Amino acid sequence: MRVLIAPDCFGGTLTAPEAAEAIAAGWRGGAPDDELTLCPLADGGPGFVDVLHAALGGHLRHHSVAGPLGSSTDAVWLEHDGTAYIECAQACGLTLVPREERDALAANTVGVGELIRHALDSGVHTIVVGLGGSGSTDGGAGMFRELGAIAVGEDGEPLPPGGGPLIDAARLVGAVDLGGVRLVAASDVENPLLGKDGAARVFGPQKGADDLAVRRLERSLTRWADLLAEVAGRDVRDVPGAGAAGGLGAALIALGATVESGAGVVRRLTGLDAALDQAQLVVTGEGSFDFQSLRGKLVTRVSGAAAERGVPCVVLAGQVSVGRRRAASAGVEQAYSVAEHVGSAEASLADPAGTLTQLAKHVSGQWRL
């Protein structure tokens, strides 16, 4: 049987390429005669660069940049055929800050600006910024700051980095010059910058913002939107995707970026459609297959594409909380839980790759043409 293995990353425990290899190892153990094709995936968030490097090759560029709260962090971007692929989560990611140290008002995107500046210095003609997994809600002001446009207060003094201080922004000093380089914002989030579906109210709480901080961030981003409108020559606050990555999407749009589906970018560059056309079974997966998965996340995009071709699709996930009927409506024939298979979530997390391999070996024996 021709089996396509196309997982997302497993929430901080396994990258998508690691997950694909773990599943493949187990599948070979249970069904050694099957023909396996590995196609690890991402949607613009964590794992974006890893997945594209596995698919395209190219050169990984390593830099030490500012993390979301200023401490330096190691980040990698991919250069391939004149295009730079940047993963914002590597510079402003939520996982870069321990839960007890998260500061939603101070977290910023300065490091993302550093990565873009390095890419500009390399001479690329296109920069694709993967949006997702951010710990910041500064509307991309930190990125602007690093690229030459600084938000100042009424006294003309630069405001500290972070979303909170933007409430006092009076104007921008300086300008961002991309030198004609094309920008692409790659995200599957279509949230606007402001309002009930905006960056602060929807995503702020998971970044450590309490109710008071969310209200302050909303006011700050409202002021920042006015400044972005001056840069763009139009209002960008309601453009779908403006609220991605704590409003980083809005800043990129103001600089002329086109918004594309992150999963769509990966789907095109990894040759997923051609692989789906040849598959007789599709195996996808993620850390937690839950109600959010049914709202257009990567695994259900894969299962939907498989269903369009009449190909069965199964999900292997760390944990599963979606019922069979709802899973079937998304094109998923069956969802299997690593935690359930090995007895507990703790056991699965103790050896993420090994337990995923065990589950894949078990599942492989249940699927035959």
Side-chain angles (χ1 to χ4, degrees):
M1 184 165 59
R2 295 188 301 275
V3 182
L4 172 62
I5 299 174
D8 196 352
C9 65
F10 274 56
T13 60
L14 295 171
T15 66
E18 289 170 344
E21 290 291 349
I23 294 170
W27 206 276
R28 292 188 187 103
D33 294 330
D34 284 354
E35 178 183 331
L36 307 184
T37 297
L38 277 60
C39 188
L41 300 172
D43 61 5
F48 185 63
V49 166
D50 281 340
V51 165
L52 292 180
H53 182 236
L56 302 176
H59 302 283
L60 292 175
R61 308 301 187 191
H62 297 256
H63 299 282
S64 178
V65 300
L69 293 179
S71 299
S72 63
T73 188
D74 294 329
V76 179
W77 59 278
L78 174 66
E79 183 177 355
H80 177 264
D81 197 22
T83 298
Y85 298 95
I86 290 171
E87 181 183 313
C88 84
Q90 295 212 18
C92 66
L94 186 63
T95 59
L96 297 178
V97 182
R99 184 177 297 275
E100 65 275 10
E101 296 177 19
R102 290 174 185 169
D103 186 340
L105 297 175
N108 63 78
T109 55
V110 170
V112 179
E114 291 183 74
L115 290 176
I116 291 175
R117 178 167 49 78
H118 286 305
L120 290 170
D121 291 344
S122 75
V124 298
H125 57 67
T126 302
I127 298 176
V128 180
V129 184
L131 303 178
S134 75
S136 57
T137 314
D138 75 343
M143 177 193 72
F144 260 61
R145 181 190 188 99
E146 182 60 29
L147 295 177
I150 301 175
V152 301
E154 291 290 353
D155 58 3
E157 292 297 314
L159 297 175
L166 289 176
I167 200 169
D168 297 319
R171 63 186 184 278
L172 277 170
V173 175
V176 175
D177 181 7
L178 298 176
V181 171
R182 175 174 175 257
L183 273 182
V184 176
S187 175
D188 279 341
V189 173
E190 297 184 348
N191 300 67
L193 180 63
L194 305 172
K196 64 181 180 63
D197 296 320
R201 292 179 182 172
V202 174
F203 304 112
Q206 71 189 39
K207 301 175 183 182
D210 58 18
D211 289 344
L212 183 62
V214 167
R215 290 196 294 271
R216 182 180 178 92
L217 288 170
E218 181 73 8
R219 292 171 61 196
S220 292
L221 292 177
T222 299
R223 178 61 192 134
W224 179 240
D226 294 335
L227 299 184
L228 290 180
E230 295 176 13
V231 172
R234 65 186 179 106
D235 198 336
V236 301
R237 70 190 73 200
D238 292 327
V239 176
L248 178 57
L252 292 170
I253 293 166
L255 293 177
T258 56
V259 181
E260 296 185 18
S261 160
V265 170
V266 172
R267 181 174 179 171
R268 182 180 73 251
L269 295 177
T270 59
L272 176 62
D273 286 292
L276 284 166
D277 289 342
Q278 298 299 315
Q280 295 171 296
L281 174 68
V282 176
V283 181
T284 186
E286 61 180 340
S288 178
F289 185 55
D290 54 30
F291 76 96
Q292 291 184 348
S293 305
L294 303 177
R295 302 181 65 181
K297 287 186 68 175
L298 192 145
V299 292
T300 50
R301 287 177 178 266
V302 173
S303 62
E308 291 171 1
R309 293 164 168 81
V311 177
C313 177
V314 299
V315 170
L316 309 188
Q319 299 186 66
V320 174
S321 57
V322 176
R324 294 193 65 172
R325 181 176 298 178
R326 297 191 69 186
S329 70
V332 176
E333 294 279 343
Q334 184 71 49
Y336 301 88
S337 165
V338 177
E340 183 176 327
H341 182 68
V342 299
S344 69
E346 292 75 16
S348 67
L349 291 173
D351 181 12
T355 52
L356 180 57
T357 294
Q358 290 177 37
L359 177 62
K361 182 176 181 179
H362 169 73
V363 171
S364 69
Q366 301 182 25
W367 288 89
R368 284 289 172 270
L369 290 179

